[in-house]
Every structure is written in structure tokens, then in C-alpha cells.
Amino acid sequence: MKRLSVVICLLLMSGFQVRHDQACLAQSQTTPAARPAPKTKAEMLKKYVGRYSLEVGIIPISTLDVTLEGETLWVKPSVVKKRKLLQKTRSRFLDEVEGTSYVFNKDADGNYSSLTFEYEGSQYTAQRVVLPSPNLKGNTTFRLQGYADASIVALAGTFNNWDQSQLVCNHEGAEWVCRVDLEPGEYAYKFIVDGNWVLDPNNPNTVEDEAGNTNNVLVKK
């Protein structure tokens, strides 16, 4: 009887050892959870890219187009040349040309929705805008030749209250094209190429507004 008890005990211990070994083997074969790859510098900078707009007429700068080239952030304010932004903190950058600050601001949802910048010793805040798709449908076609290297070409006039980010042109061949539905009447307009206001060279009809700006005139019949 004593001998039988010893045998049973040995069998039980042997079974425990097998289960223990199997558990250890299964644990050793389990693939550890993959860690997400760290974001590249370019991926981290993408959140700042976009157009930031200021009300026309406050200062000469009315748009700031922030772009990403490789791992470098650039800004193109209207009326001045594009320049690099040198990162100093998470959301503060320095203008490589003038040394002034550009600070990207978050909204209540944690998204970067505005950009504070310096102009002639004062600070201004431009709001981020979402550009629509190019305007390709309408009974009136506006064409601007050249500017092959432009990033954004838009159309503004009395027909859209001079909104500089509403009517986006499409690059077609050697020209930029925008189509708009217009009722019969007289309209003043101008193109905006990367924030710079440009007259239509194919339309000699112009008029000067109250602020002294020269604009093209179109008469829709």
C-alpha cells in the first residue's frame, strides 16, 4: 500500500512538471506587443501645415501659408518672400530672415487653429482656414497664365466679398483656372498667388478702389 502511494505521488508530480514546462514554453514563445514606431520630425511638423488668414486691410499681410519641405517648416506671408521657420519650442518658431516669433496656438479641442506673429513691432493672430477644392463649375471662367511654381492661386472680387480663401484655382496646363457662376453685372476682381494680389494681364480693364488699389473689371452680360 505504501509503495502504491509513492507511485501515485510520483505520477502527480510528473504531471505537474509537464504542465509547468508547457506553460513556460508557451510563455517563452509569446511575441511581445509591438511598440508603435516613434514619429519622424516631418510627421510631427505636419500638424502646423495650412493657411492662416487675417482680415484684409489690417496690415499688408493677410495670409500666411505654412508648408513642409522635407523636415523643414516654411512660411509664406503675403507680400513677402517665403522663409524657413526654426523650431525653438514645441509650438514656437523663429523667422530665419527677420528673427521674429511665430507661435502656433491650440483651440479647446487641442488642435492648432491660429498663428500669432509679429509685424512692425506688434503682434497679430491669424486664424487657420480650410481651403476648398478648386472651383471648376460656373458660367464664367477666369484664367491666369504662368506662375507654375505657385502653391495656392485663388480668385477674389466683389462677387465673393473679396474672400481670399474661398475660390481656389486649378492648375491646368500652363494656366490657373477658376469658374464662377455670375449674374449679369459689373464686377471687380483680382488673383491671389501665394498671398500676393495679382492683376489679370489678359484684362486691360481696371478700376481704382477707395483705398487706392487697382483691380480688374469684368462686365458680365
Side-chain angles (χ1 to χ4, degrees):
M1 187 68 179
K2 182 177 180 181
R3 188 174 182 180
L4 179 61
S5 298
V6 172
V7 172
I8 292 173
C9 184
L10 289 173
L11 289 173
L12 290 173
M13 291 177 64
S14 176
F16 171 79
Q17 184 65 38
V18 170
R19 291 192 298 274
H20 175 74
D21 291 345
Q22 289 174 340
C24 290
L25 179 61
Q27 186 176 1
S28 66
Q29 292 177 341
T30 302
T31 303
R35 294 181 179 179
K39 288 185 177 181
T40 64
K41 185 178 180 180
E43 289 173 330
M44 291 188 290
L45 291 174
K46 280 182 181 178
K47 57 192 172 188
Y48 306 116
V49 172
R51 166 165 282 194
Y52 298 81
S53 180
L54 197 67
E55 184 181 341
V56 175
I58 296 178
I59 57 175
I61 294 173
S62 54
T63 60
L64 302 101
D65 292 315
V66 178
T67 56
L68 182 63
E69 296 179 17
E71 294 188 339
T72 302
L73 211 60
W74 292 74
V75 63
K76 170 61 179 74
S78 50
V79 311
V80 299
K81 292 182 178 180
K82 183 172 73 171
R83 64 275 318 277
K84 284 183 183 179
L85 290 180
L86 307 177
Q87 190 166 16
K88 293 302 177 181
T89 65
R90 181 183 295 273
S91 58
R92 178 175 172 268
F93 294 74
L94 284 185
D95 182 325
E96 184 187 46
V97 176
E98 298 180 4
T100 55
S101 292
Y102 285 79
V103 180
F104 293 88
N105 311 302
K106 286 185 176 181
D107 58 19
D109 297 323
N111 300 313
Y112 288 100
S113 59
S114 65
L115 175 60
T116 299
F117 64 100
E118 297 176 40
Y119 179 77
E120 294 187 347
S122 299
Q123 289 192 336
Y124 300 88
T125 298
Q127 301 300 317
R128 192 171 194 162
V129 296
V130 178
L131 290 172
S133 300
N135 224 69
L136 303 178
K137 295 182 179 180
N139 59 19
T140 306
T141 301
F142 294 83
R143 301 179 184 275
L144 178 67
Q145 294 182 342
Y147 301 97
D149 296 329
S151 298
I152 301 170
V153 177
L155 176 72
T158 52
F159 40 75
N160 73 336
N161 199 29
W162 297 99
D163 190 316
Q164 58 199 326
S165 302
Q166 182 187 61
L167 300 173
V168 178
C169 300
N170 190 47
H171 199 198
E172 299 179 5
E175 58 187 10
W176 293 87
V177 177
C178 184
R179 297 178 177 87
V180 187
D181 268 327
L182 295 180
E183 298 292 333
E186 183 176 302
Y187 303 93
Y189 72 94
K190 217 165 186 176
F191 289 98
I192 307 129
V193 180
D194 287 340
N196 300 321
W197 294 79
V198 175
L199 285 169
D200 183 350
N202 293 320
N203 182 0
N205 299 320
T206 59
V207 65
E208 190 173 290
D209 62 20
E210 295 177 354
N213 301 306
T214 302
N215 304 308
N216 289 109
V217 175
L218 171 70
V219 178
K220 179 68 177 178
K221 297 180 179 180

